[in-house]
């Protein structure tokens, strides 16, 4: 723990706030004329000063709208902290609401501030946390409406030793009239120029988290979801990078929303090149009734600043999300190597087949057996039984309890698949409660994969699902859950919400999902949960708070996974990236890759298998045993080390990445070549993060090299007259080739 330093400086006379640590500074003030908050700076740490007046930047202009009796304070020309709607600023606001009188005009001004040691919890919402009060300080600034009973508390946390500022907002109605919140972003920040490129993670089912990067333009650009989940299409993350910023050099600002529902990340560049970045719950189809004495808490945004390139930003997110978002007991615990039966059997299995798979897997060194979809109700395909979480006795004559006993007797942990938020019409639950499905009774209802979405905004639904799952968990001795979610929300209408509260459905739904996670983890605190949504459809920081790992994609092809895992690593640590070795030809793209290549990609994640191990040849079984033994030796390094992206699959034929242990004594490099090259050019892979003065031995080459020359010159992947051993040989090289290199410091 670094020495406790003052993290929040307040100039009480000028009402200027400076949140800072050795990495970042975040500065804003109360604008003396309008008493609104004026943003001054966010970026690399700068020295604290008595006054930051020199950062005030306002240009008097003609043709502007001014407050009455005032000639300098048009909000259009002030960089703001949390802009409202309705007066002299015409850009998108951070919040907007309808007052009881019907207008939407807000006049919230500075009221007071408070400093909290540590980081207060967010009501009912996942968020990053501190373990002791001296790890961080939180500034709470209260704004009050001059014409109504609305107050907004803005929360800013600065940590002792992280290049991070977290922000969220809480609305409170202390009056006796109801207001309607239409727009409640978690943060807004005005940068003084537009010299940025926007980076974000775009995708679809089976090709999640592909990196996009475009220069900002004047106007509005955004990423969003209106699907009821964070979605395959846009991860709730974007970054603003300087055009010259690379993986390891240059400035970049990251924005990551700790939320699993509809989100919006928006960047608006105005005509003066001021860049306003906002992020939060998607205002589209959102409305919240704020009754007297009610509060509304927005989710949290984690802002990261890096002057060490995009990789520097990722490392900050990885460390924070691994240690202060994921929770005990799993955050620092070795994750079991699992086998999942999905791609081995799909719905077609029985107890005998499962035990056969488990025995073989155990023999190879696997630690956890996961029984996927198809173990309940009458489920033999995807048309039935979701919502009926009782064992299918014709497949499992001894039930989950009996199967679990047998799996445990083999010395394996046992995990089970659920899709708690979904229902099929053939279930008793649906027959009893058709009104528990999200739909508008008078209108047609769409299905997705033959299933319908349960109304998790209804606490009775959450309780009913908890009770069904609890019954299985209590008797089944379950160690792990794969929590799936295979469709988005359509016909958004809740039969329990009044007509003027339908805009609350999406958010209440996600709060219901979080509530079920909480209930399960309260009762079964040792449960390891892996979240999943048809692969990576809800891979977000909100769920990582409960489920420290996520199934990254239904695409298990090693080549496709290079892009998916590379993109995912922009924000999420390797310990959260679910990665399996699967069968060939691959079930999603039909590609055949070697077992080596498949494992070499899956090593850089949680690692597991998803194939019919009973079909492996003896040689393949030996390979599998060796892979598992190798991963067991290296998983702490992979899951807790510092990750470096070295070569991007989005740029060409090669991909490379590596992890370095905290003490820099060990490192693991993965290098992948998609297509074999005839008569290739020379190829050197510059490494990163190694200790310059340390001599490392290189396995399997057997060479010894200084960290300094590996960092500056790199590994040579071409043959030369020195007649390297077989490892470097090009003989037998094929498409989809991989190299795994282990570096260990010489004593
Ligand atoms: C989608 C998941 O992503 C798969 O891994 C598998 O669990 C199936 N659902 C089962 O229906």
């Amino acid at each position: 723990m670094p020495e406790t330093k003052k993290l929040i400086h307040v100039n009480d006379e000028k009402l200027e706030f400076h949140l800072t640590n050795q990495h970042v500074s975040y500065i804003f003030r109360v604008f003396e004329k309008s008493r609104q908050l004026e943003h001054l700076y966010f970026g690399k740490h700068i020295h604290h000063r008595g006054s930051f007046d020199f950062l005030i930047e306002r240009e008097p202009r003609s043709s502007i709208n001014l407050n009455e009796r005032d000639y300098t304070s048009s909000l259009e020309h002030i960089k703001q902290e949390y802009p409202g709607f309705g007066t002299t600023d015409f850009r998108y606001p951070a919040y907007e609401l309808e007052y009881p009188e019907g207008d939407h005009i807000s006049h919230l001004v500075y009221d007071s501030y408070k400093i909290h040691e540590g980081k207060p919890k967010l009501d009912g919402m996942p968020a990053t946390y501190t373990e002791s009060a001296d790890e961080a300080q939180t500034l709470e600034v209260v704004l009050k409406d001059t014409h109504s009973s609305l107050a907004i508390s803005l929360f800013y946390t600065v940590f002792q030793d992280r290049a991070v500022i977290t922000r969220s907002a809480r609305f409170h109605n202390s009056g006796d009239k109801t207001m309607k919140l239409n727009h409640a972003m978690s943060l807004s920040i005005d940068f003084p120029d537009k010299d940025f490129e926007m980076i974000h993670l775009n995708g679809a089912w089976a090709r999640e988290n592909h990196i996009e990067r475009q220069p900002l333009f004047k106007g509005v650009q955004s990423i969003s979801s209106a699907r009821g989940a964070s979605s395959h299409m846009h991860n709730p993350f974007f970054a603003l990078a300087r055009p010259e910023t690379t993986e390891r050099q240059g400035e970049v600002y990251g924005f990551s929303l700790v939320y699993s529902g509809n989100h919006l990340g928006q960047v608006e560049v105005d005509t003066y090149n001021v860049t306003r970045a906002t992020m939060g719950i998607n205002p589209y189809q959102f409305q919240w009734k704020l009754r007297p004495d009610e509060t509304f808490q927005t989710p949290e945004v984690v802002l990261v600043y890096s002057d060490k390139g995009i990789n520097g930003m990722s490392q900050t997110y990885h460390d924070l999300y691994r240690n202060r978002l994921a929770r005990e007991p799993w955050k620092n615990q070795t994750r079991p190597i699992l086998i999942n039966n999905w791609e081995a059997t799909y719905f077609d299995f029985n107890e005998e087949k499962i035990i056969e798979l488990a025995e073989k897997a155990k023999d190879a060194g696997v630690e956890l057996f996961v029984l996927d979809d198809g173990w309940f109700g009458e489920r033999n395909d995807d048309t039935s039984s979701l919502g009926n979480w009782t064992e299918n006795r014709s497949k499992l004559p001894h039930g989950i309890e009996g199967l679990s006993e047998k799996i445990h007797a083999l010395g394996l942990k046992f995990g089970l698949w659920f899709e708690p938020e979904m229902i099929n019409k053939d279930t008793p639950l649906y027959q009893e409660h058709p009104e528990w499905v999200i739909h508008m009774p008078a209108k047609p209802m769409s299905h997705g994969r033959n299933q319908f979405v349960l109304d998790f905004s209804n606490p009775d639904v959450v309780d009913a699902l908890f009770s069904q799952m609890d019954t299985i968990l209590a008797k089944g001795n379950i160690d792990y859950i794969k929590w799936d979610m295979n469709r988005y929300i359509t016909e958004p209408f809740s039969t329990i919400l009044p007509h003027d509260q339908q805009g609350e459905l999406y958010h209440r739904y996600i709060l219901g999902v979080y509530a079920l996670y909480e209930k399960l983890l309260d009762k079964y605190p040792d449960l390891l949960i892996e979240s999943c949504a048809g692969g990576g459809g809800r891979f977000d920081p909100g769920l990582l708070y409960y489920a420290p790992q996520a199934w990254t994609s239904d695409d298990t092809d090693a080549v496709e996974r290079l892009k998916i895992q590379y993109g995912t690593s922009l924000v999420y640590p390797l310990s959260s990236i679910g990665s399996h070795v699967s069968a060939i030809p691959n079930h999603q793209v039909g590609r055949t890759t070697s077992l080596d290549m498949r494992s070499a990609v899956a090593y850089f994640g949680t690692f597991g298998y998803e194939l019919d191990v009973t079909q492996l040849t003896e040689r393949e079984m030996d390979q599998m045993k060796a892979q598992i033994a190798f991963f067991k030796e290296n998983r702490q390094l992979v899951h807790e080390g510092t990750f470096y992206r070295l070569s991007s699959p989005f740029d060409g034929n090669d991909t490379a990445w590596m992890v370095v242990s905290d003490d820099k004594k060990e490192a693991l490099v993965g290098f992948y070549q998609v297509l074999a090259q005839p008569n290739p050019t020379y190829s050197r892979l510059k490494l990163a993060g190694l200790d310059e003065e340390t001599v490392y031995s290189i396995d399997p080459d057997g060479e010894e090299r200084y960290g300094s020359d590996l960092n500056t010159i790199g590994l040579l992947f071409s043959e030369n007259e020195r007649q390297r051993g077989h490892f470097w040989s090009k003989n037998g090289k094929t498409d989809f080739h991989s190299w795994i290199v282990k570096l260990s410091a010489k004593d």
Side-chain angles (χ1 to χ4, degrees):
M1 183 66 217
E3 186 194 331
T4 310
K5 295 202 190 84
K6 192 169 176 181
L7 299 171
I8 299 178
H9 302 264
V10 183
N11 178 334
D12 281 300
E13 199 188 317
K14 286 178 174 277
L15 285 174
E16 222 171 53
F17 303 91
H18 181 196
L19 292 81
T20 187
N21 60 23
Q22 56 177 312
H23 306 288
V24 290
S25 279
Y26 192 110
I27 307 169
F28 62 97
R29 67 193 287 271
V30 176
F31 176 34
E32 59 282 354
K33 293 212 163 137
S34 68
R35 300 199 55 85
Q36 263 132 342
L37 297 184
E38 179 171 20
H39 178 78
L40 294 183
Y41 175 76
F42 172 45
K44 192 179 171 74
H45 160 84
I46 58 171
H47 286 294
H48 182 66
R49 313 200 14 174
S51 159
F52 285 103
D53 280 357
F54 68 95
L55 287 171
I56 298 172
E57 208 178 6
R58 282 178 235 130
E59 182 79 35
R61 298 171 199 269
S62 55
S63 81
I64 54 170
N65 297 275
L66 299 163
N67 297 331
E68 272 185 285
R69 298 180 301 280
D70 180 357
Y71 292 92
T72 53
S73 62
S74 168
L75 292 175
E76 190 173 0
H77 300 292
I78 292 175
K79 290 168 201 72
Q80 296 179 69
E81 270 308 295
Y82 202 67
F85 170 79
T87 67
T88 59
D89 185 1
F90 300 91
R91 292 166 290 179
Y92 277 91
Y95 67 96
E96 179 260 296
L97 62 146
E98 185 182 315
Y99 290 92
E101 296 72 22
D103 71 298
H104 296 226
I105 305 158
S106 288
H107 271 285
L108 273 89
V109 298
Y110 172 80
D111 175 75
S112 57
Y113 79 88
K114 203 191 283 176
I115 292 175
H116 304 265
E117 296 306 316
K119 186 166 188 289
K121 279 187 135 195
L122 296 200
D123 260 6
M125 301 274 278
T128 57
Y129 59 86
T130 49
E131 286 189 344
S132 63
D134 57 2
E135 279 181 25
Q137 284 189 332
T138 301
L139 173 67
E140 177 182 354
V141 175
V142 180
L143 309 176
K144 283 198 172 157
D145 200 332
T146 47
H147 295 75
S148 86
S149 50
L150 178 71
I152 303 178
S153 295
L154 300 178
F155 293 92
Y156 299 79
T157 297
V158 50
F159 293 84
Q160 280 290 346
D161 194 28
R162 297 178 189 279
V164 170
I165 300 283
T166 65
R167 284 190 57 181
S168 73
R170 193 176 65 207
F171 292 74
H172 177 62
N173 179 0
S174 62
D176 53 10
K177 287 188 188 142
T178 296
M179 307 168 185
K180 284 185 209 149
L181 207 46
N182 295 322
H183 196 122
M185 303 307 274
S186 301
L187 114 167
S188 176
I189 182 168
D190 287 345
F191 292 93
D193 66 87
K194 79 168 217 347
D195 198 15
F196 290 112
E197 293 180 347
M198 186 172 179
I199 298 173
H200 59 97
L201 299 173
N202 177 263
W205 174 80
R207 54 173 173 82
E208 295 85 345
N209 290 342
H210 283 210
I211 299 174
E212 296 276 331
R213 181 171 179 163
Q214 298 95 10
L216 293 189
F217 53 83
K218 285 196 174 99
V220 176
Q221 44 244 276
S222 66
I223 52 133
S224 67
S225 167
R227 294 166 183 263
S230 45
S231 88
H232 297 85
M233 286 68 193
H234 283 138
N235 200 268
F237 158 80
F238 68 90
L240 295 178
R242 296 296 181 189
E244 66 279 7
T245 297
T246 61
E247 274 291 348
R248 221 119 47 247
Q249 279 170 348
E251 282 194 303
V252 56
Y253 295 83
F255 298 75
S256 166
L257 184 67
V258 187
Y259 191 58
S260 313
N262 289 351
H263 60 88
L264 173 71
Q266 180 172 290
V267 179
E268 178 177 9
V269 180
D270 74 9
T271 194
Y272 306 104
N273 285 351
V274 171
T275 297
R276 171 168 293 176
T278 54
M279 192 175 220
I281 294 176
N282 195 344
Y284 175 60
Q285 296 298 316
F286 167 84
Q287 190 177 61
W288 196 271
K289 224 170 156 179
L290 201 61
R291 294 197 186 82
D293 214 28
E294 280 183 353
T295 58
F296 181 83
Q297 173 67 56
T298 73
E300 161 171 298
V301 170
V302 177
L303 278 169
V304 164
Y305 168 78
S306 164
D307 61 350
K308 297 190 179 51
I310 302 162
N311 212 131
M313 172 197 74
S314 302
Q315 289 170 358
T316 301
Y317 277 123
H318 293 181
D319 199 273
L320 179 71
Y321 286 177
R322 224 168 38 208
N323 295 300
R324 293 293 182 270
L325 178 65
R327 296 187 296 177
E328 297 290 4
W330 282 103
K331 65 174 189 155
N332 292 321
Q333 226 186 97
T334 304
R335 304 290 167 72
I337 297 172
L338 65 80
I339 185 151
N340 178 304
N341 73 307
W342 179 242
E343 288 199 12
T345 64
Y346 295 102
F347 296 101
D348 184 17
F349 61 83
N350 55 26
E351 187 183 282
E352 206 183 321
K353 178 69 190 173
I354 295 299
I355 296 294
E356 210 188 327
L357 287 172
E359 278 170 349
K360 233 17 216 296
K362 168 68 188 168
D363 199 30
V366 164
E367 298 160 316
L368 162 68
F369 187 91
V370 180
L371 179 59
D372 211 277
D373 196 353
W375 59 266
F376 50 91
E378 299 298 317
R379 187 139 166 115
N380 295 312
D381 55 31
D382 66 11
T383 59
S384 94
S385 302
L386 295 168
N388 175 9
W389 300 103
T390 54
E391 309 81 330
N392 179 327
R393 293 270 167 183
S394 51
K395 286 183 183 174
L396 306 174
H398 305 98
I400 286 296
E401 198 178 351
L403 178 63
S404 171
E405 249 172 49
K406 290 184 184 177
I407 301 272
H408 282 112
L410 292 174
L412 289 167
K413 289 175 186 290
F414 182 52
L416 202 55
W417 181 94
F418 284 96
E419 196 177 359
E421 299 151 71
M422 299 294 156
I423 192 157
N424 287 112
K425 284 188 175 175
D426 64 349
T427 52
L429 189 65
Y430 182 80
Q431 308 303 326
E432 265 169 59
H433 288 291
E435 79 286 4
W436 280 5
V437 168
I438 292 181
H439 75 300
M440 170 64 180
K443 298 189 177 167
M445 162 163 107
S446 336
H447 74 96
R449 210 194 185 202
N450 307 298
Q451 64 200 49
F452 303 92
V453 186
L454 282 166
D455 183 0
F456 264 51
S457 75
N458 181 348
D460 293 342
V461 175
V462 174
D463 287 348
L465 266 297
F466 171 74
S467 146
Q468 285 205 45
M469 292 172 83
D470 184 31
T471 307
I472 294 286
L473 295 183
K475 64 178 184 187
N477 192 10
I478 310 293
D479 303 291
Y480 159 111
I481 284 182
K482 178 175 173 188
W483 179 319
D484 208 343
M485 190 271 199
N486 281 297
R487 61 158 293 185
Y488 297 124
I489 295 176
T490 55
E491 293 82 39
F493 187 86
S494 166
T495 53
I496 62 150
L497 290 172
H499 75 275
D500 59 348
Q501 278 182 268
Q502 291 296 330
E504 300 177 14
L505 173 59
Y506 286 114
H507 183 56
R508 286 190 185 274
Y509 177 90
I510 283 299
L511 294 181
V513 172
Y514 293 152
L516 183 55
Y517 268 104
E518 286 284 0
K519 277 163 96 78
L520 289 167
L521 289 169
D522 270 0
K523 179 146 183 203
Y524 302 98
D526 293 332
L527 201 57
L528 172 61
I529 309 186
E530 175 154 351
S531 75
C532 171
R538 217 167 48 180
F539 197 136
D540 59 61
L543 284 188
L544 283 189
Y545 178 75
Y546 304 103
Q549 54 194 64
W551 183 226
T552 318
S553 177
D554 275 352
D555 195 334
T556 55
D557 171 61
V559 173
E560 289 299 310
R561 275 293 184 127
L562 291 173
K563 286 186 176 156
I564 295 168
Q565 292 178 202
Y566 192 96
T568 305
S569 80
L570 245 55
V571 189
Y572 305 101
L574 298 191
S575 56
S576 68
I577 297 181
S579 53
H580 300 168
V581 174
S582 65
I584 46 160
N586 173 266
H587 294 193
Q588 292 74 40
V589 294
R591 188 176 283 131
T592 295
T593 55
S594 68
L595 198 48
D596 278 346
M597 171 79 175
R598 281 172 278 155
S599 67
V601 176
Y603 285 153
F604 290 83
T606 58
F607 194 63
Y609 289 81
E610 187 160 339
L611 44 69
D612 188 345
V613 263
T614 65
Q615 302 298 308
L616 295 182
T617 62
E618 213 170 300
R619 186 170 168 269
E620 287 169 331
M621 266 305 278
D622 288 344
Q623 267 181 288
M624 179 174 171
K625 282 182 190 162
Q627 290 168 356
I628 290 177
F630 176 81
F631 191 72
K632 283 180 180 167
E633 258 170 47
N634 289 292
R635 67 179 148 190
Q636 192 178 350
L637 165 62
V638 171
H639 291 164
E640 292 170 26
T642 305
F643 185 63
Y644 293 87
R645 289 180 295 270
L646 303 175
S647 182
S648 169
F650 298 99
D651 292 344
N653 197 36
D654 295 349
T655 300
W657 49 42
M658 68 187 285
V659 250
V660 183
S661 64
D662 278 355
D663 62 6
K664 296 184 186 271
K665 290 200 182 315
E666 285 185 304
L668 193 69
V669 183
F671 179 60
Y672 314 87
Q673 197 169 67
V674 175
L675 295 180
Q677 302 294 309
N679 197 8
T681 54
Y682 293 98
S683 136
R684 290 180 180 192
L685 180 67
K686 257 191 201 184
L687 303 189
L690 298 172
D691 181 57
E692 302 265 308
E693 300 309 320
T694 296
V695 175
Y696 293 89
S697 63
I698 302 175
D699 185 20
D701 181 49
E703 270 196 338
E704 291 180 2
R705 302 263 306 271
Y706 272 103
S708 55
D709 73 64
L710 288 166
N711 285 343
T712 46
I713 301 169
L715 290 172
L716 278 57
F717 278 88
S718 35
E719 283 215 88
N720 60 25
E721 64 284 2
R722 285 169 56 209
Q723 294 295 317
R724 292 171 190 281
H726 75 281
F727 169 73
W728 305 106
S729 166
K730 291 258 187 325
N731 293 339
K733 249 188 83 176
T734 57
D735 290 345
F736 322 129
H737 205 77
S738 63
W739 292 263
I740 291 290
V741 181
K742 174 76 188 282
L743 307 174
S744 313
K746 295 277 293 169
D747 299 327

